[in-house]
Amino acid sequence: MVSVATVSRVLNQNGYVNEETERRVRQAMKELNYKPNEVARALFKKTSKTVGLIVPDITNPFFPELVRAVEDVMNIYDYTVILCNSDEKVEKEREYIEVLKQKYVDGVILTTNQFAPEEVEEWDVPIVVLDRPLHERYPSVVADNYEGARLATRHLYEVGCRRIAHIQGPNHVVNAMERFRGYQDEMRALGLGDRQLVIQGNYQLKQAKEAVMAALAEHDMDGIFAGNDAMAVGALKAVQQCGLRVPDDIAIIGYDGIPLTEMTTPELSTVSQPIYEMGAMAARILIKQIEGKPLEKLHYQLPVQLVVRQSTSRRGLT
Amino acid sequence: MVSVATVSRVLNQNGYVNEETERRVRQAMKELNYKPNEVARALFKKTSKTVGLIVPDITNPFFPELVRAVEDVMNIYDYTVILCNSDEKVEKEREYIEVLKQKYVDGVILTTNQFAPEEVEEWDVPIVVLDRPLHERYPSVVADNYEGARLATRHLYEVGCRRIAHIQGPNHVVNAMERFRGYQDEMRALGLGDRQLVIQGNYQLKQAKEAVMAALAEHDMDGIFAGNDAMAVGALKAVQQCGLRVPDDIAIIGYDGIPLTEMTTPELSTVSQPIYEMGAMAARILIKQIEGKPLEKLHYQLPVQLVVRQSTSRRGLT
DNA sequence: GTGAAAGCGCTAACAT
DNA sequence: ATGTTAGCGCTTTCAC
C-alpha cells in the first residue's frame, strides 16, 4: 500500500517518488478507475480549472462561433467553461461575476464595455475582454472596427454609390460607435461629408428593417452600410419589400461575416471579422494570465477583411 | 460574536436561530460583503449548483436557442451551466461526463442518442436527454418528429407537389430517422409510395446544396422536404442556381423553425419545433430530478407546428 | 523517498 | 438557541 500523499505526489508530478512506486500507483488508479475529486482539489488550491464566459446573448448569431472557439481552446488546457448570458445588463453581469467567484473560477472572459476599471479591479480575478475594449488596463481582443467601417464605406463608393447610408448599432456598444466613426471619417475623406445619412439601429434585424423602410420613404440612397450582418439582412428585406433591387438600385454591405451572410439571396457582402480566432486568442490570453505567464501584449487588434458578394456587385457607376 | 455554525444556520435556514441573532448575522454579512465559498460547500454536500449541458455544436443554429433556454431556467434556480460541444463524438461526450462528474455537477442535459443504457447507468448522475430520445429509462424532451415530417410532406402535396423529394439527415441521428419515416409513411398514405426520392444529407447546408444539385440533374421533382432548415437553405440555393423558381417550379419546406428561415428570399416554410420550450422543459425536469421530486412523466413529446411561408406558397395545383 | 497530520471553508451531528 | 467538533477529499509541510 501507499499513502494518499504519495498518490497526490504522482498525480501532481510533485516531490520525489520512486519509479517503481509510481508505476504501481498508476496501475492501481487505472484498475480502481480512480478519478481525483476536483472539488476537493479546488478547495485546497483555490483554483477550479473552470472559467466563466459572459456574452450578451448566445442567440445572437455572432456569438456561437466565439463561444465555440473559447470552449475549444479551454478544453485543450483542461479547463471547463461556464456560459453566462447577460443580455447586456450590467446588473446581470455583476451577479454572474459574483457567482463565478464563489465557484473559484480561474478567470473570466467577457464581452462588455460597461464597467468602470475600479470595479473590475475589486473583482480580483483574471479577465480578458472580448470584442469590445473595456479599459487599457485589461487585456483585450478586438477587431479593427474603425478600419473595417472605412473599408465598407469606401467599397460602396467604389461600386458607384454616392448616397451612402449607415445603420448604426446601439450607442452603448463601443464597437458600434467605432464603426460609426469609421463611416463618418471615410465619408468625409470621399468628399461626401455632407451626404451622410445615419439610421439608428440596435443590432436587431427587425428593428433595422423598419428603420430602413422609414428611411427609404424620406431619403434617397444608393448604398447601405449596416453596423452588423443582422441589420444588413433587415435592410435587404426592407429594400426588396419596397420593390427596389439589390445591388442595382441599392447596394448593401454588412459587418461581422457570420455564416448567415451566405444564406440570403443575394448573398451579402460584409466585413468579416476573424471571429473564431478572436475567441481562441482571448482564451489563450486568459490561460497565460492564469498561469502567471507574462503577456507580450495587452491589447490585440485583429485585422478585418472585406468580403465582396452579390449584394454589392454591380458594374454601373453613377 | 457568533460561531461559524450559526452563520451556516442562517445561510441554510437550518436549525433554530434567535431572530435578533439572525438579524445581526445578516447585517454583518452585508457589511463585510461575505459570500460563502461554494467550493467548500460543494465538497461537503456533494452538490455544486452546477449542471453540464452537452450539445453537438453550438455553432449549429439549432442549438443557441436551446442552450439559452436551459441557461435561463437554470439561472432562476441558482444553477450555473457548463457548456460542452461534443461534435457528436461519443468519445468526447464520455470525456465530458467524466470531467463533469469530477466537478460534482448535479446533473447533465445531453443531446445524443449514442449511449447504451448500461453505460449511462454507471455514470450515476441525473440526466435528461434533449431533442433525441436515448432510452425509455431516461427522462427525455423531444418534439414530434414523425408527425412533423408527415405534416410537411402532406403540405407539399396540398400545394400541388406530386414528386416530393426528402433530404435525409445523418443516419445515426434518431430524429432524422423519425422524420424520414414520417416522409415515407405519408408518401404512401398519399398514394405516392412509389414516387419517393431520398437525397442523403448530413444536416449541413453545403453538402445538401451539392446533393440537391446532383439530384436535380437526374430526377424530376416539384417539392423538397428537407430534414432540417440548414439543408432547406442548401436546397433553395441549389434550385435557384439551376435557374428554377421557388416555389413555382419547386416548393421547399424545412424543419426546425430556426430564425434563419425568415431571412432567406423567399422566406422558408418549415415545421417549427418549440425550441426554447424544449430547452426550458429539459432544465425543469433535471431540477426536479436533482431535488428528488417525482416526475409526473418521464417522456415529453412536444407538438410541432407547420409554418407556411413563401417557399411553398403557390396557387397552381398540378 | 515516504508517511502522518494539518488545513482549505463549509455543514451536520453532538453537546450544552 | 448556540458553540464545539469532526470530516468532506485533496495537497503540502514536516518528520523520519
Side-chain angles (χ1 to χ4, degrees):
Chain A
M1 287 299 286
V2 292
S3 69
V4 284
T6 304
V7 176
S8 170
R9 275 189 271 259
V10 348
L11 272 169
N12 298 282
Q13 255 96 297
N14 197 343
Y16 303 94
V17 187
N18 180 303
E19 258 184 42
E20 167 61 12
T21 313
E22 169 159 3
R23 218 194 36 71
R24 278 174 44 224
V25 169
R26 290 205 180 279
Q27 164 94 18
M29 285 190 349
K30 196 159 287 174
E31 279 172 13
L32 300 171
N33 193 18
Y34 168 79
K35 294 282 184 330
N37 181 321
E38 282 299 330
V39 178
R41 189 191 291 230
L43 180 58
F44 186 90
K45 300 192 90 170
K46 299 194 184 332
T47 158
S48 60
K49 282 283 176 187
T50 306
V51 301
L53 172 55
I54 306 182
V55 297
D57 182 7
I58 184 71
T59 268
N60 173 330
F62 176 71
F63 293 105
E65 195 177 340
L66 213 59
V67 171
R68 177 70 210 241
V70 170
E71 217 261 305
D72 283 353
V73 172
M74 283 303 175
N75 201 221
I76 295 173
Y77 294 89
D78 297 321
Y79 286 81
T80 247
V81 358
I82 294 180
L83 179 70
C84 312
N85 292 100
S86 71
D87 289 318
E88 315 241 6
K89 304 243 171 65
V90 204
E91 214 28 75
K92 269 188 127 180
E93 292 170 339
R94 223 171 249 138
E95 278 167 28
Y96 272 122
I97 291 281
E98 219 46 74
V99 174
L100 293 172
K101 282 183 58 182
Q102 287 181 255
K103 302 208 175 193
Y104 275 164
V105 295
D106 301 335
V108 177
I109 294 178
L110 66 174
T111 301
T112 185
N113 54 247
Q114 314 192 70
F115 287 103
E118 299 76 38
E119 183 172 358
V120 178
E121 202 59 55
E122 277 183 12
W123 294 344
D124 191 32
V125 64
I127 70 159
V128 174
V129 191
L130 185 50
D131 182 47
R132 309 178 188 180
L134 179 64
H135 186 277
E136 46 169 19
R137 283 231 279 270
Y138 302 104
S140 67
V141 178
V142 300
D144 193 345
N145 292 290
Y146 176 77
E147 201 48 53
R150 295 196 65 154
L151 229 55
T153 310
R154 195 172 333 134
H155 171 65
L156 287 175
Y157 180 86
E158 280 164 0
V159 298
C161 304
R162 291 296 176 270
R163 292 179 304 287
I164 302 172
H166 173 56
I167 316 179
Q168 188 186 282
N171 293 302
H172 66 277
V173 178
V174 216
N175 57 22
M177 288 304 103
E178 287 290 292
R179 292 170 200 177
F180 175 47
R181 209 163 54 79
Y183 163 77
Q184 292 183 303
D185 287 359
E186 185 64 28
M187 286 295 272
R188 251 177 258 126
L190 293 168
L192 300 173
D194 52 355
R195 292 246 215 144
Q196 291 182 39
L197 173 57
V198 178
I199 302 171
Q200 183 63 52
N202 64 357
Y203 272 171
Q204 305 291 315
L205 185 154
K206 212 170 174 144
Q207 190 273 344
K209 180 180 167 189
E210 281 158 22
V212 171
M213 291 289 268
L216 285 170
E218 298 192 16
H219 305 279
D220 234 17
M221 56 186 103
D222 56 7
I224 299 179
F225 161 41
N228 74 358
D229 288 330
M231 297 196 296
V233 177
L236 176 62
K237 298 227 153 238
V239 171
Q240 290 178 330
Q241 198 161 313
C242 289
L244 298 168
R245 291 160 308 164
V246 175
D248 307 274
D249 298 321
I250 299 186
I252 298 179
I253 184 165
Y255 203 105
D256 278 350
I258 61 179
L260 170 61
T261 49
E262 296 186 71
M263 306 192 181
T264 55
T265 313
E267 295 185 4
L268 278 170
S269 298
T270 188
V271 175
S272 95
Q273 310 197 56
I275 306 183
Y276 191 92
E277 190 47 34
M278 286 166 67
M281 188 166 281
R284 280 186 232 114
I285 293 179
L286 186 60
I287 289 171
K288 280 213 171 159
Q289 273 195 92
I290 292 173
E291 295 181 342
K293 292 187 185 148
L295 306 178
E296 303 89 81
K297 258 175 71 180
L298 210 52
H299 303 286
Y300 289 82
Q301 186 172 59
L302 274 50
V304 296
Q305 204 178 349
L306 179 69
V307 177
V308 179
R309 299 211 187 87
Q310 301 154 0
S311 72
T312 59
S313 295
R314 52 185 203 181
R315 341 222 123 75
L317 297 184
T318 304
Chain B
M1 287 302 284
V2 290
S3 68
V4 283
T6 304
V7 175
S8 171
R9 274 189 272 260
V10 347
L11 273 169
N12 298 282
Q13 254 98 294
N14 196 345
Y16 303 94
V17 187
N18 181 303
E19 259 186 40
E20 166 61 12
T21 312
E22 168 160 2
R23 216 194 38 71
R24 275 175 45 225
V25 169
R26 289 203 182 279
Q27 164 94 18
M29 284 190 349
K30 196 158 289 175
E31 278 173 12
L32 301 172
N33 193 19
Y34 167 78
K35 294 281 182 336
N37 180 322
E38 282 300 330
V39 178
R41 189 192 294 230
L43 180 59
F44 185 90
K45 299 192 95 171
K46 300 194 184 328
T47 157
S48 61
K49 282 286 179 184
T50 305
V51 301
L53 172 54
I54 305 183
V55 298
D57 181 8
I58 184 72
T59 269
N60 172 330
F62 176 71
F63 293 105
E65 194 176 342
L66 213 59
V67 171
R68 177 70 209 241
V70 171
E71 216 262 305
D72 283 354
V73 173
M74 283 303 175
N75 200 223
I76 294 172
Y77 293 90
D78 296 321
Y79 286 81
T80 247
V81 358
I82 294 181
L83 179 69
C84 313
N85 293 101
S86 71
D87 288 318
E88 314 242 7
K89 304 245 170 63
V90 204
E91 215 27 74
K92 267 186 127 181
E93 291 171 340
R94 224 172 249 136
E95 277 166 31
Y96 272 123
I97 292 282
E98 218 47 71
V99 174
L100 293 172
K101 282 183 59 183
Q102 287 180 256
K103 302 206 174 193
Y104 274 167
V105 295
D106 300 337
V108 177
I109 294 178
L110 66 174
T111 301
T112 186
N113 54 247
Q114 316 194 68
F115 286 103
E118 299 77 38
E119 182 173 356
V120 178
E121 202 59 55
E122 277 183 12
W123 294 345
D124 190 33
V125 63
I127 69 158
V128 173
V129 191
L130 184 50
D131 182 45
R132 311 176 187 181
L134 178 63
H135 186 276
E136 47 169 19
R137 283 230 281 271
Y138 302 104
S140 67
V141 177
V142 300
D144 193 346
N145 291 290
Y146 177 76
E147 201 46 55
R150 296 198 64 154
L151 228 55
T153 311
R154 194 172 332 133
H155 171 64
L156 287 176
Y157 180 87
E158 281 165 0
V159 299
C161 303
R162 289 300 175 267
R163 292 178 305 288
I164 302 172
H166 173 55
I167 316 179
Q168 191 187 280
N171 292 303
H172 66 275
V173 178
V174 215
N175 58 22
M177 289 304 104
E178 287 289 292
R179 291 171 200 177
F180 175 46
R181 209 163 55 77
Y183 164 76
Q184 292 182 303
D185 288 0
E186 185 64 27
M187 285 295 273
R188 253 178 256 127
L190 294 168
L192 299 174
D194 52 355
R195 292 246 216 144
Q196 291 182 38
L197 173 57
V198 178
I199 302 171
Q200 184 62 51
N202 64 357
Y203 272 173
Q204 303 292 316
L205 184 153
K206 211 167 176 145
Q207 189 274 345
K209 181 180 166 188
E210 282 158 21
V212 170
M213 290 291 269
L216 284 171
E218 298 192 14
H219 305 278
D220 233 18
M221 57 187 101
D222 57 5
I224 298 178
F225 161 39
N228 74 0
D229 288 330
M231 297 197 296
V233 177
L236 176 61
K237 297 225 154 239
V239 171
Q240 290 178 332
Q241 199 160 313
C242 289
L244 298 168
R245 289 160 311 163
V246 175
D248 306 273
D249 298 319
I250 300 186
I252 297 179
I253 184 165
Y255 203 106
D256 279 348
I258 60 178
L260 170 61
T261 50
E262 295 187 71
M263 305 192 182
T264 55
T265 313
E267 295 185 6
L268 278 170
S269 296
T270 188
V271 176
S272 95
Q273 309 197 57
I275 306 184
Y276 191 92
E277 191 47 33
M278 287 166 66
M281 190 167 280
R284 280 186 232 111
I285 292 178
L286 186 61
I287 288 171
K288 279 211 173 161
Q289 274 195 93
I290 292 172
E291 295 180 343
K293 292 186 184 149
L295 306 179
E296 303 90 79
K297 257 174 71 179
L298 209 51
H299 302 286
Y300 288 83
Q301 185 172 59
L302 275 48
V304 295
Q305 204 180 348
L306 179 68
V307 177
V308 179
R309 299 214 186 87
Q310 300 155 1
S311 71
T312 60
S313 296
R314 53 186 202 179
R315 342 222 123 75
L317 297 186
T318 304

